[in-house]
């Protein structure tokens, strides 16, 4: 790499050449009628009047943000390191306890486990909100990590558990289930069933089982990513076998659940990660760079889908038939599978995820089967974005992450306190249902079927632009050498090189002439010219000889 000083010197020489050429040939400024292209900005930085960590100063237009500063910061960091930036702080006002349930242990070794936490495993973590008692509602949360990684105390699950305990007001239990390949679909689901049965009978303190006796406290379940898929499998299992628990679940919530183990939803293609770089720049001279799609899974579509599929088959113990089983792979559950005693469901998913459809389709089928469902899709968000609620180190919250966690709290508290969802939506046609001739009647059961309460959410912290020109490179300013360079770079070398050579020769000849005029002076030149015209036959001494004669006269010779 050349030193900066060398580049500056070369740039200065080239600038002089181009400026001289422009003076000789006239202005090359394009007409104002040139068509303009509107360019979306997904990354923004250089925030006026704001101090940011150096790594969050991303490229983008300084006067426009189509994503909030925290979202832009997360985009820039996660694109470089997909393992970074999850929440670091434990929520205030909550306490933590751990428990090793009898018989619920396993060993993570190099032979049967790929996680970084090796050795004895299986200890549960509990997060207790302030003032928790034996009567406090309880939540069983199953962590994600592709069923291969993670624990209640790693990958920011302690931070998430503490936040959920605070906003929901429930005792949150996180289990350390056996990871693949030590575990598989059947053993992980059974682990969740055992944990929920234990939680229904035992509270966060010793003696809770004796204190409330046969009285059951409200039970909620939740999970994210692969843990969200297991949680949905648990919900569907309890719907078919309610005797396993002895009470109805109060509610279930999901963050970006992985429910399609065939891994073939359309978003694997339409939300594939893409980095777009343009040849132009914005008004603040920053590079035109955009990121779209799922920033956590950056492989091209076939590789991304194949990786998910291979992971799913490992989880299923190599049983390919389970990839479309309605309980193991809830994406394939039909509305009838959700009929009966299923609890209200809440989904929070990012609009840019590869597995967006895993939430949307399950939510739709659950509602058609009669469930009360809330589905919230967050614009521009990636996989399991609630775990980045602190803003990736920017110093201000990621609005979507914090909002989804608070919405989860509203969902749980409202069900516990009011006995229903905070929102209610019902669609009715003639006589309580669609006409028989309607296409809707093929999958709509009057007085049973519902639709999800759906919201597509935008970050309110995004700045709004007032004119389209703010999205464009600065074409109203004086046409500078940078603009000339951009235009030259687009031309063929067979056009650029001869043009530059011709310009250089022209400049050299003109410089030589101007130098001569400067050396002899205007008046002397005119006088010499007059003598030449008056004596056309006179010989003019060679320039070198005249110079020597002039020098000798000056020395008095």
């Amino acid at each position: 790499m050349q030193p900066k000083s060398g580049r500056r010197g070369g740039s200065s020489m080239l600038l002089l050449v181009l400026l001289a050429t422009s003076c000789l040939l006239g202005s090359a400024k394009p007409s104002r009628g040139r068509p303009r292209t509107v360019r979306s900005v997904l990354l923004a930085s250089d925030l006026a009047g704001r101090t940011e960590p150096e790594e969050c100063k991303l490229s983008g237009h300084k006067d426009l943000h189509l994503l909030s500063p925290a979202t832009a910061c997360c985009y820039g960091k996660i694109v470089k390191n997909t393992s970074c930036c999850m929440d670091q702080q434990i929520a205030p006002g909550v306490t933590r306890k751990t428990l090793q349930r009898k018989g619920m242990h396993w060993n993570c070794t190099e032979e049967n486990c790929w996680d970084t936490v090796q050795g004895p495993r299986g200890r549960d973590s509990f997060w207790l909100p302030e003032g928790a008692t034996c009567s406090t509602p309880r939540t069983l949360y199953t962590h994600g990590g592709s069923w291969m990684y993670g624990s209640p105390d790693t990958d920011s699950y302690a931070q998430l558990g503490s936040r959920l305990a605070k906003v929901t007001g429930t005792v949150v239990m996180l289990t350390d289930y056996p990871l693949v390949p030590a575990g598989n679909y059947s053993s992980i689901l059974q682990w969740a069933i055992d944990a929920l049965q234990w939680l229904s009978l035992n509270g966060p303190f010793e003696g809770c089982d004796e204190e409330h006796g046969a009285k059951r406290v409200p039970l909620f379940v939740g999970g994210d990513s692969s843990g969200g898929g297991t949680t949905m499998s648990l919900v569907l299992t309890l719907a078919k076998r309610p005797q396993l628990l002895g009470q109805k679940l109060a509610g279930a919530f999901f963050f970006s659940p992985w429910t399609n183990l065939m891994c073939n939803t359309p978003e694997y293609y339409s939300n594939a990660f893409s980095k777009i770089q343009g040849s132009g720049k914005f008004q603040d001279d920053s590079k035109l760079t955009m990121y779209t799609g799922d920033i956590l899974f950056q492989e091209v579509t076939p590789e991304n889908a194949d990786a998910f599929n291979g992971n799913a088959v490992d989880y299923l113990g190599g049983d390919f038939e389970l990839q479309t089983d309605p309980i193991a792979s809830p994406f394939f559950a039909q509305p009838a599978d959700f009929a009966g005693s299923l609890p209200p469901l809440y989904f929070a998913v990012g609009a840019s995820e590869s597995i967006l459809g895993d939430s949307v389709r399950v939510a739709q089928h659950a509602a058609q089967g009669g469930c009360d469902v809330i589905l919230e899709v967050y614009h521009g968000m990636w996989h399991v974005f609630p775990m980045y609620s602190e803003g990736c180190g920017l110093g201000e919250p990621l609005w979507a992450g914090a909002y989804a966690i608070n919405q989860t709290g509203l969902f749980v508290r409202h069900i516990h306190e009011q006995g229903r969802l905070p929102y209610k939506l019902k669609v009715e046609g003639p006589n309580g249902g669609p006409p028989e001739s309607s296409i809707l009647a093929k999958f709509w059961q009057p007085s049973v079927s519902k639709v999800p309460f759906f919201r597509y959410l935008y970050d309110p912290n995004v700045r709004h632009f007032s004119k389209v020109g703010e999205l464009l490179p600065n074409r109203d300013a004086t046409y500078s050498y940078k603009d000339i360079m951009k235009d030259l770079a687009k031309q063929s070398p067979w056009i650029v090189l001869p043009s530059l050579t011709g310009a250089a020769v022209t400049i050299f000849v003109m410089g030589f002439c101007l130098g001569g005029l400067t050396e002899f002076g205007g008046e002397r030149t005119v006088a010499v010219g007059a003598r030449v015209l008056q004596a056309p036959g006179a010989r003019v001494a060679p320039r070198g000889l005249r110079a020597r004669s002039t020098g000798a006269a000056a020395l008095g010779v």
Side-chain angles (χ1 to χ4, degrees):
M1 181 179 293
Q2 296 180 351
K4 291 185 179 180
S5 59
R7 291 201 304 268
R8 290 176 178 173
S11 300
S12 300
M13 291 296 296
L14 184 58
L15 173 59
L16 291 174
V17 171
L18 293 173
L19 287 177
T21 305
S22 64
C23 292
L24 291 172
L25 302 179
S27 174
K29 184 175 182 178
S31 65
R32 293 181 181 270
R34 174 180 290 186
R36 299 183 175 188
T37 303
V38 177
R39 294 167 178 170
S40 299
V41 189
L42 292 188
L43 293 184
S45 65
D46 296 333
L47 308 178
R50 190 189 302 267
T51 301
E52 300 179 12
E54 187 65 28
E55 60 269 24
C56 282
K57 293 184 177 180
L58 313 174
S59 60
H61 195 299
K62 67 180 180 181
D63 296 323
L64 172 68
H65 306 277
L66 295 189
L67 293 183
S68 68
T71 303
C73 178
C74 289
Y75 264 54
K77 285 187 173 183
I78 295 173
V79 164
K80 295 179 181 178
N81 179 11
T82 56
S83 299
C84 82
C85 311
M86 289 189 287
D87 292 342
Q88 301 296 315
Q89 303 298 318
I90 299 297
V94 298
T95 55
R96 176 177 177 269
K97 295 183 63 175
T98 63
L99 174 69
Q100 181 68 64
R101 286 177 289 134
K102 185 177 180 180
M104 308 305 291
H105 55 80
W106 64 284
N107 286 315
C108 178
T109 66
E110 293 182 356
E111 290 74 23
N112 72 345
C113 176
W114 300 325
D115 195 39
T116 57
V117 181
Q118 299 282 302
R121 300 280 297 266
R123 195 171 185 86
D124 304 314
S125 289
F126 295 83
W127 290 96
L128 285 64
E130 188 174 2
T133 67
C134 292
S135 299
T136 301
R138 302 162 192 173
T139 297
L140 173 66
Y141 191 87
T142 304
H143 70 79
S146 303
W147 296 291
M148 295 181 175
Y149 310 99
S151 76
D153 297 323
T154 58
D155 300 322
S156 290
Y157 282 108
Q159 289 79 355
L160 179 61
S162 69
R163 282 174 166 78
L164 290 174
K166 186 173 182 64
V167 300
T168 64
T170 66
V171 173
V172 177
M173 175 185 182
L174 291 93
T175 64
D176 190 19
Y177 58 84
L179 303 173
V180 174
N184 56 31
Y185 158 65
S186 299
S187 62
I188 293 174
L189 178 58
Q190 186 59 51
W191 193 284
I193 294 172
D194 293 340
L196 190 60
Q197 290 173 337
W198 184 94
L199 188 61
S200 69
L201 299 173
N202 301 271
F205 311 105
E206 293 184 5
C208 282
D209 54 338
E210 299 176 357
E211 180 177 323
H212 60 72
K215 182 181 179 181
R216 301 294 182 94
V217 298
L219 286 179
F220 295 85
V221 292
D224 66 277
S225 189
S226 57
T230 295
T231 299
M232 183 58 73
S233 297
L234 174 62
V235 170
L236 291 170
T237 297
L238 293 176
K240 294 191 176 298
R241 301 169 60 193
Q243 71 276 9
L244 288 175
L245 187 60
Q247 70 179 98
K248 181 181 177 180
L249 288 174
F253 57 90
F254 308 87
F255 303 139
S256 307
W258 181 8
T259 65
N260 180 7
L261 300 187
M262 284 295 292
C263 312
N264 57 0
T265 45
E267 286 81 9
Y268 278 93
Y269 177 83
S270 59
N271 279 353
F273 173 79
S274 177
K275 180 178 180 180
I276 306 171
Q277 288 183 309
S279 59
K281 294 184 179 181
F282 292 102
Q283 293 183 20
D284 62 356
D285 204 33
S286 58
K287 294 181 180 179
L288 177 57
T289 303
M290 301 182 294
Y291 300 109
T292 62
D294 196 327
I295 60 176
L296 275 185
F297 304 103
Q298 299 177 13
E299 294 82 4
V300 296
T301 297
E303 294 179 2
N304 192 24
D306 287 348
F308 270 78
N309 190 282
N311 187 166
V313 172
D314 288 341
Y315 164 64
L316 296 173
D319 190 342
F320 293 94
E321 292 185 0
L322 288 176
Q323 285 186 282
T324 55
D325 180 83
I327 293 181
S329 188
F331 182 85
F332 296 95
Q334 298 302 308
D337 295 313
F338 292 94
S341 59
L342 264 73
L345 309 176
Y346 169 76
F347 295 84
V349 62
S352 297
E353 292 195 39
S354 299
I355 59 172
L356 169 61
D358 290 41
S359 292
V360 174
R361 168 140 172 173
V362 172
Q364 291 174 336
H365 280 187
Q368 290 174 22
C371 288
D372 290 323
V373 180
I374 297 175
L375 171 63
E376 293 183 339
V377 179
Y378 290 77
H379 176 74
M381 288 296 103
W382 51 93
H383 189 60
V384 198
F385 62 92
M387 298 185 71
Y388 301 78
S389 64
E390 293 175 4
C392 301
L394 179 64
E396 62 181 68
L398 177 68
W399 178 85
Y403 190 81
I405 291 176
N406 287 332
Q407 284 294 100
T408 304
L410 175 63
F411 170 81
V412 171
R413 287 180 181 270
H414 205 278
I415 290 176
H416 170 54
E417 296 172 3
Q418 304 294 329
R420 62 175 181 84
L421 291 179
Y423 315 106
K424 192 172 183 180
L425 181 64
K426 188 176 182 180
V427 177
E428 292 185 351
N431 299 321
E436 293 183 1
S437 59
S438 170
I439 190 173
L440 187 63
K442 295 181 179 180
F443 57 87
W444 186 274
Q445 184 177 353
S447 73
V448 174
S449 296
K450 303 176 183 178
V451 295
F453 181 88
F454 171 74
R455 296 201 300 170
Y456 190 97
L457 298 168
Y458 290 91
D459 189 337
N461 296 313
V462 176
R463 297 182 183 179
H464 297 281
F465 55 92
S466 58
K467 49 184 180 179
V468 175
E470 292 180 351
L471 286 168
L472 307 174
N474 188 358
R475 290 296 186 182
D476 294 329
T478 303
Y479 199 68
S480 66
Y481 84 97
K482 291 183 179 180
D483 299 300
I484 298 175
M485 288 294 296
K486 293 176 185 177
D487 292 337
L488 286 176
K490 298 176 183 178
Q491 302 298 326
S492 169
W494 300 108
I495 297 176
V496 175
L497 291 178
S499 300
L500 291 178
T501 303
V505 170
T506 303
I507 292 172
F508 175 78
V509 172
M510 293 194 64
F512 182 82
C513 295
L514 290 174
L517 291 174
T518 303
E519 180 181 355
F520 292 102
E523 295 181 359
R524 187 171 182 180
T525 302
V526 173
V528 171
R531 287 199 299 271
V532 171
L533 292 175
Q534 291 175 1
R539 295 180 63 187
V540 179
R543 183 173 182 271
L545 180 60
R546 290 201 310 273
R548 289 195 294 272
S549 299
T550 303
L555 294 173
V557 178

